[in-house]
């Protein structure tokens, strides 16, 4: 049977890297994750040079909460964790504010690329990202203000 949790990839603000290797932080013990999927997501999230620059690459040890990596790289690794299994539903909450504009745009284009067969739900205050999505919903003070197609 398919477990619903395996169909969802989430990248929420309260997630952290844990004590283990880069690879373990991305796959989280999911034995069904192929290394080709790991390489695919690392390339698409612009992490290839970062990982190549680490002393042991994918086997580099990560300290609790990702020390000493930058917040941007931590956020991209958490996003990689959410996407490596190619989920059907991707949930993201403000996962881009630690990235430079050019890199954020590139990642958002990847997330919204129709060749990725997932539904993306993103909660963000960045109105500029609305140009890339099919539908936006504006909520203020727990009230639906606007729905755009």
């Amino acid at each position: 049977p398919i477990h619903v949790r395996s169909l969802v990839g989430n990248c929420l603000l309260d997630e952290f890297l844990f004590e283990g290797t880069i690879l373990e932080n991305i796959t989280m013990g999911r034995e069904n994750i192929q290394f080709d999927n790991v390489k695919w997501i690392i390339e698409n999230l612009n992490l290839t040079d970062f990982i190549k620059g680490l002393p042991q690459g994918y086997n580099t040890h990560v300290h609790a909460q990702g020390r000493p990596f930058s917040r941007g790289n931590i956020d991209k690794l958490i996003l990689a964790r959410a996407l490596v299994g190619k989920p059907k539903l991707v949930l993201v909450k403000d996962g881009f504010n630690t990235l430079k504009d050019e890199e954020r745009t590139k990642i958002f284009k990847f997330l919204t690329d129709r060749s990725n067969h997932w539904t993306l739900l993103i909660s963000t205050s960045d109105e500029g990202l609305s140009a890339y999505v099919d539908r936006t919903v504006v909520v203020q003070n727990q009230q639906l203000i606007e729905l755009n197609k």
Side-chain angles (χ1 to χ4, degrees), residues 10-143:
N10 72 53
C11 182
L12 306 173
L13 287 177
D14 57 353
E15 293 195 41
F16 293 99
L17 297 180
F18 56 83
E19 190 96 16
T21 67
I22 293 281
L23 185 59
E24 290 167 339
N25 268 277
I26 293 169
T27 61
M28 286 194 65
R30 295 173 285 182
E31 295 176 10
N32 63 324
I33 302 293
Q34 301 291 318
F35 191 69
D36 284 345
N37 281 13
V38 174
K39 291 190 300 187
W40 166 79
I41 198 60
I42 291 304
E43 288 171 14
N44 282 291
L45 296 181
N46 200 28
L47 282 164
T48 305
D49 289 341
F50 167 71
I51 290 176
K52 282 182 179 178
L54 295 173
Q56 295 175 307
Y58 288 100
N59 294 315
T60 298
H61 185 76
V62 176
H63 296 283
Q65 299 184 359
R67 288 185 325 262
F69 302 142
S70 72
R71 187 67 227 181
N73 282 330
I74 291 170
D75 289 346
K76 289 192 292 184
L77 287 167
I78 291 169
L79 184 57
R81 175 191 297 165
L83 301 176
V84 71
K86 298 185 178 182
K88 299 293 182 196
L89 175 64
V90 177
L91 307 173
V92 178
K93 182 176 181 187
D94 284 328
F96 306 106
N97 20 357
T98 60
L99 304 176
K100 295 176 183 171
D101 288 343
E102 182 179 316
E103 189 169 33
R104 185 177 66 221
T105 299
K106 180 180 177 186
I107 289 173
F108 204 73
K109 284 180 180 179
F110 165 70
L111 284 172
T112 57
D113 186 320
R114 292 190 186 280
S115 68
N116 297 315
H117 300 285
W118 53 53
T119 297
L120 174 66
L121 293 176
I122 182 167
S123 171
T124 183
S125 57
D126 186 345
E127 293 179 15
L129 298 179
S130 65
Y132 299 97
V133 297
D134 295 332
R135 187 173 295 169
T136 61
V137 176
V138 178
V139 177
Q140 280 182 336
N141 301 324
Q142 301 177 348
Q143 297 284 333

